[in-house]
Amino acid sequence: MPRNVDLLRGTLDLFILKTLTWGPMHGLAISRWIENASKSQLQIEEGALYPALHRMEQRGWLSAQWGISDNNRQAKFYSLTARGRKQFAAQLATWQRYTKVAATLLGATEAAV
Amino acid sequence: MKRLFRLPFSRARVQRDVDTELAFHILGRIEELMARGMSRQDAEREAQRRFGDPAAVAHEVARIDVETHKRRVVTERLSAFARDLRYALRGLTRRPLYALTIVITLAVGIGANTTVFSVFETVLLRPLPVRDLDQLLVVQDDFPKMNARFGVSALEALDLFERRDLFQSATTTRSAYGTLLVSEEPTHEYGVATLGDFAGVFGVRPLLGRFYEPAASQFGRPPVVVLSHELWQRLGGDSTIAGKILKIGDQPYEVSGVMPGDFTYPSNAQFWRPLVLDSRTLNQTQSRGTVIELFVGRMQPGLTTERVGSELRALAERWHQQYPGNYQRGGHTMVVIPLVDRLAGQLKPIVIALLSTVGLVLLLACANVASLQLMHTTGRARELAVRAALGAGRAAIARQVILESLILAIAGGIAGVLLGVGSLTWLTKLNIGYFPALKDVRLDGMVLAFTAGATVLAALLFGSVPVLRTARVRVNDALRESVRGSSTGAVRHRFLRASVIFQTAIAVVLLVAAGLTIRSLGRLLDVELGFQAENVATFTFFLPSQRYPEGPQRIAFLNSLDERLRTVPGVQSVGFALGTPFSGSAGSTLYDLPGVPKLPGESDRHANQAFVYGDYFRTMGIPIVRGRAFTVADYAAGGHTVIIDETLVKRSFGDRDPIGQQIKHGPSGTIIGVAKSVKLGDLSEPAHPLVYHNYGRSPSTSAMTAALRSSLPIDAVVKAVRTSVKELDPSLAAPPVYALTQRIADSYGHRQFATRVLTIFAALALGLALLGVYAVTSYVVTSRTREIGIRLALGAARAEIARMVLRDGAILATAGLVIGAAVFTLTARFFRALLFGVGVLDPVALGAAVVLLACVTLLASYLPARRAVRVDPMLTMRTE
C-alpha cells in the first residue's frame, strides 16, 4: 500500500465530520486524529484542512470558538452543529452505499457480463 | 454554541485570526516532531513539508471568512425584512376591512387607468406600426363655403409630390374595389390604388416579396398588386405567392408582395395596387376637380404642421392663378391634418375625455386611500407609541408603515391590472361600429408600467406622508391620551375635511359628464330620421364596368334583380339608390336654380346627391310631402326628373313652389316632388339639402344599394336575398346584407361607448365619494364622542346633535359641489365634442348630479349621525 493515498474528492469533509463527532477539536488535533485513526496510512496535506474547515463553518455545519489548548496556547476549536451532524449522517450513508457498489463492481467476474 | 455578540468586522482582524490559527498548527507540529528527537531545523522543514504553502492557505481561508461574513449580513437583513413583513401583514390582517377597502379603491383607480391608457395608446399613440407616425400628414382640398373637405385630385397630387421641401416622400390612395375568387367563390374586396411612394411614406417592410416601386404607376407597366395578410391567408397562405398571377376582376395582376398583419392602412384594405396614369385616368382627372385621392406625406424634419399648412395655402393660391378654369367659386384652399388624428376620427375626443376623467378617478382613489390611512394611523397611534417606547427605532417604525402601504399598493396594483385586463376583454368584444382599432386594444408593458408606477407612487406619497408625520411619535401625547381632539387632531381634521371636499368635487365633475353624455344620447335617439328604418335591409353591390359598361345593361340588371327580390318570401317592396341613408354616400356638389333668384342670406347652393331607381321612397318609408315620387314611366322615358328634399326647399325656394322648376345639379332636371329630409350618415349631422336623381334617366354609377322592406325578420330573408344576386350573375360577389337599424346603431356606437364608460366612471366616483364621506364623518363622530357626551350631559337635545353632524356633512358636500361645478365648467371643452342637443351647462344634468350627490352624502353622514345620537353620556365620561 502506498504511503499517500490521494484523497477522493469530498471525503476530506466526511473525515473531518467523523473526527468532530468525538467532540470539539482544533485543526492540529483533527489532522492528528485522522492520521492515527488511519494507522498512518493516510497523511493529508495539513494546509488543505483549513479551507475545508472554514467552508464548513460558512455552511453552518461547524461552529468555531477560540479557546486554550493543552499547552496553554490560543487555538481555534471546531465543533459540530446540529446541521453538521445531520450532514455527517447523510454523507456517511452515501459513502457506504458507494463503496458497496464499487466493491461489487470491482469484484465481479467475467461471467457476470 | 451561539455567540452573544460579535466584534465589529474588519479584514485585518480576519487576517490576524487566520494567522494565529495556522501558526498554532505549525508550531504545535514542530514541537511534536522535536519531542520525537528531531533537530529544530529538521522539525521545521518537516512541518513545513506536511503543511504545504502557509501563505496560500492563509489567503484562501481569509477569503472564505470574508465571504462568510457577507453572507451572514445578507441573511440577517433578509430575516429582518421578513420580520417587518410579518409585522406589516399581521397589522393588516388585524384590520381586514380597512385593508380590503384600500385594495379595492386602488384596484379601481389602477384598473380604470390601465384600460383607458391602453385605448389611448392604441387609438392615438400607435394606431399603425409605422416609424415616426406623427410626421405623417394628410392633405385635403377644403371648400370652406360648402363646409366640405375632400381628397385631392391626381394632378394636384403630382404637383404636391414635387414639393420635396415639404415632404420627404408622399403618396395617395383611392378606393379600388375588385372582385376575386377566394376558394372558388367570387368575393368583393376593398383595396386601394396608390400613386407615389407608398412604401417610402409608411416604411413598412412586406412580409413576403416587396412593395412595388412608385414607377409602377407609369402607363404600360405590367399590373402588380400587394396583398393584405388577411387576404393572403384567405387565399391559402401560399408562401411562394410572390411573382404569381392573381386575377382581380378581369385583369391579371402579378402579386409582388404580402403586407404584415398589423399593417392596416387604409383600415380594412385587402390589396394595394398602383394607380395607372393611363389616358382615361388622366382625362378623368384633367379637371383637377375629381378630388378622390387621399394624400399622405411624410413631413421633412424640422417642419411643423402649421408651417406646411401655410405653404399649402399659398400653393393653392398659385394654382387658382395658374388654372383659373379649374377652381370655381365657393372658395378652395388646402388643409393639413396629422394622419393620426384622421385615423382616430370620432374616437379622438372620446379618448381625450376619458383620459381626463380617468385621471380624476385615480386622484379620487388616492384621496380616499390617504384619508383612510390617516384615520387608520390615528387608531394605531397608541400601538406605534408603545413600540417606540419599547425601543423600536424611528426607522423601524417607518419601515413597517411604508411596508404596509407598499403591500396594499401592490395588492391593489395586481387587482387593478386584473380588473383592467377584464375590462379590455369586454371592450374588444363590444364591436364598436366603425372603429376596428378598438378590436386590437391590448395591455402592453408600457401601459402597465406607467399606471402601476403612477398609482403606487401616489399611494405611497398620499399614504405614507401623513402616517409618517404621526409616526414621528409624540410618544408621551399618544400614550397619555387616546383618540381625542388634540392639536394634532385638528390638523388631521383639516386634512380629512379637505379630502372630503376634493372627493365630492371630483364626483360632481364625473357625474355631470356622464349625465351630459346620457342626455346627448337620448337627444340623439330622439332625432327624426325622416324614414322608417324598422324592417328594412340594405345591401350594396357593384356592377363591373366590363360586363355592365352602359346604362341599358345596368338598368336591365336592376329590373331583373327587382323582380327576383320581390319573389323572396316576406319581401314587401324593393327600391334602389346610391346614397341610401347609413349605407354609403353618393357625394355632393353645387346646384343651380336658373329660374329662382337667391333668397336674401342664402348661402352657397350645395347639396348631397342620391340616384334612385325602383320603389325606393315607399320601401324606405320616406314621405313625399309635395308632388309625387318617381314612377316606372319616369325611369323609362322622357327627360331627367329629380326630387328634392324639404331642406333644399327651405334654403332656396322659401314660399315659392318648387314643382316644375329646373335644377342643375350635375345633370339638369325638372323637379317633380319634395321628400321629407332624412339623416344620411350620422344622427347628429345638421340638415343639408339633398337632390334625388332619376337613375333611369342618368345611370351613371356602377355601385348601387338595394333596400327592401320585409314583413319577416331581416335574418330570415338575408340568405334568399344573397342567393338571388348570385343566381342573377354568378360572377358577382354575394353582398353582405345589413338591417338598417343596425347600421344606424353602428353610427352612434362610439357615443354609446363613451356614455357607458363615463357612466361607469361616474358610478365608481360616486361609490368612492360615498365611502370617503362615510369614513370621514364616522371618524369625526368617533373622535368627538366625548364632546357629544358632554353636550348631552349638559342637556343638549339629541336632535340637535344629529343636526350638528349632518350639518357638518352638508357643509363639506356643498363646498365640494360648488368646486366641482366650477371645475367642470373649466374642463367642459373636453366633453363638448361628445355632446349633442345639450349645452355644457345643461340644468338637467347638473341638477341630477347635485341631487344624486346630495342624497349620497346625506346617506353617508346619516349613519354616523345616528350613532352620535345614541351616545350614552355616562359611558363616554367613564371611559376617560
Side-chain angles (χ1 to χ4, degrees), chain B residues 597-634:
Chain B
K598 271 199 170 186
L599 292 176
E602 186 183 344
S603 59
D604 258 42
R605 290 178 159 176
H606 178 260
N608 294 317
Q609 57 190 3
F611 296 89
V612 174
Y613 194 72
D615 201 358
Y616 178 72
F617 292 97
R618 197 161 68 89
T619 306
M620 290 293 292
I622 302 171
I624 300 291
V625 294
R626 224 188 291 182
R628 58 180 180 82
F630 295 123
T631 61
V632 179
D634 287 321

Side-chain angles (χ1 to χ4, degrees), chain B residues 484-532:
Chain B
R484 197 195 286 171
S486 63
S487 60
T488 27
V491 174
R492 216 174 287 140
H493 280 194
R494 265 206 300 283
F495 177 86
L496 290 176
R497 294 167 77 90
S499 159
V500 166
I501 294 175
F502 180 69
Q503 293 182 43
T504 332
I506 289 179
V508 170
V509 173
L510 289 170
L511 282 172
V512 175
L516 284 176
T517 53
I518 291 172
R519 290 260 295 153
S520 298
L521 198 59
R523 286 279 168 95
L524 202 66
L525 297 181
D526 283 344
V527 158
E528 203 178 341
L529 290 168
F531 57 93
Q532 304 291 329

Side-chain angles (χ1 to χ4, degrees), chain A residues 3 24 26-28 31-32 35 43-55 57-58 63-66 69 71 73-76 78-79, chain B residues 1 3 16-18 20-22 24-29 31-32 36 46-47 49-53 57 60-61 63-65 67-69 71-72:
Chain A
R3 207 175 134 63
H26 48 70
L28 183 59
S31 77
R32 271 188 201 134
E35 201 182 330
Q43 220 177 54
I44 52 171
E45 183 170 272
E46 290 162 18
L49 200 62
Y50 286 90
L53 283 168
H54 282 245
R55 209 166 276 130
E57 186 191 2
Q58 185 182 74
S63 67
Q65 219 178 0
W66 287 99
S69 72
N71 55 4
R73 285 214 187 92
Q74 217 190 1
K76 202 171 174 185
Y78 293 90
S79 54
Chain B
M1 264 171 278
R3 292 180 196 181
R16 215 166 44 238
D17 280 358
V18 170
T20 312
E21 188 183 9
L22 299 188
F24 169 79
H25 183 110
I26 295 172
L27 279 175
R29 199 49 109 185
E31 280 166 12
E32 181 192 305
R36 285 195 209 154
E46 175 61 10
R49 191 189 62 79
R50 287 194 182 190
F51 194 84
D53 179 2
V57 170
E60 171 70 3
V61 170
R63 196 185 57 77
I64 294 171
D65 281 4
E67 198 185 297
T68 307
H69 170 76
R71 287 190 187 180
R72 189 178 294 141

Side-chain angles (χ1 to χ4, degrees), chain B residues 290-552:
Chain B
T290 313
V291 282
I292 58 170
E293 322 291 343
L294 187 68
F295 180 98
V296 181
R298 182 172 284 276
M299 192 163 37
Q300 283 289 0
L303 290 181
T304 62
T305 311
E306 291 72 30
R307 175 75 201 292
V308 174
S310 69
E311 287 284 337
L312 291 183
R313 278 193 296 279
L315 180 62
E317 294 295 326
R318 284 205 294 282
W319 285 349
H320 301 164
Q321 314 259 310
Q322 218 171 330
Y323 314 98
N326 287 311
Y327 296 95
Q328 302 174 2
R329 72 201 170 90
H332 162 264
T333 183
M334 280 190 282
V335 289
V336 174
I337 60 165
L339 178 65
V340 176
D341 284 5
R342 194 188 155 82
L343 292 173
Q346 289 165 304
L347 274 185
K348 185 178 179 180
I350 291 176
V351 172
I352 286 174
L354 292 186
L355 208 57
S356 50
T357 47
V358 84
L360 292 179
V361 174
L362 185 61
L363 277 179
L364 187 48
C366 287
N368 223 317
V369 170
S371 17
L372 280 171
Q373 292 219 7
L374 191 65
M375 287 181 277
H376 175 55
T377 329
T378 319
R380 64 196 293 207
R382 250 183 117 86
E383 173 205 329
L384 294 180
V386 169
R387 279 198 69 194
L390 286 178
R394 197 169 287 169
I397 292 179
R399 254 204 320 275
Q400 187 198 337
V401 169
I402 290 176
L403 212 56
E404 270 185 28
S405 300
L406 210 58
I407 291 170
L408 292 174
I410 289 171
I414 292 171
V417 168
L418 291 178
L419 207 66
V421 170
S423 52
L424 279 180
T425 317
W426 171 73
L427 202 65
T428 48
K429 284 194 188 131
L430 261 186
N431 192 12
I432 298 161
Y434 303 131
F435 300 102
L438 281 183
K439 284 200 187 66
D440 299 328
V441 173
R442 68 182 75 86
L443 205 63
D444 80 7
M446 193 181 101
V447 171
L448 260 180
F450 179 84
T451 346
T455 318
V456 168
L457 193 71
L460 284 180
L461 278 180
F462 276 80
S464 307
V465 171
V467 173
L468 287 179
R469 238 179 44 189
T470 337
R472 201 177 297 155
V473 181
R474 300 115 227 256
V475 179
N476 295 328
D477 285 6
L479 285 179
R480 207 180 310 124
E481 56 172 331
S482 56
V483 185
R484 197 195 286 171
S486 63
S487 60
T488 27
V491 174
R492 216 174 287 140
H493 280 194
R494 265 206 300 283
F495 177 86
L496 290 176
R497 294 167 77 90
S499 159
V500 166
I501 294 175
F502 180 69
Q503 293 182 43
T504 332
I506 289 179
V508 170
V509 173
L510 289 170
L511 282 172
V512 175
L516 284 176
T517 53
I518 291 172
R519 290 260 295 153
S520 298
L521 198 59
R523 286 279 168 95
L524 202 66
L525 297 181
D526 283 344
V527 158
E528 203 178 341
L529 290 168
F531 57 93
Q532 304 291 329
E534 294 77 22
N535 301 320
V536 173
T538 65
F539 63 91
T540 301
F541 51 92
F542 301 83
L543 301 175
S545 50
Q546 287 90 342
R547 289 171 63 88
Y548 303 91
E550 299 295 336

Side-chain angles (χ1 to χ4, degrees), chain B residues 207-209 227-246 255 257-258:
Chain B
L207 190 68
L208 291 175
L227 305 180
S228 76
H229 186 263
E230 188 203 315
L231 180 59
W232 172 62
Q233 285 292 316
R234 280 192 280 134
L235 287 169
D238 172 11
S239 60
T240 61
I241 198 168
K244 291 189 177 165
I245 299 296
L246 181 73
V255 176
V258 173

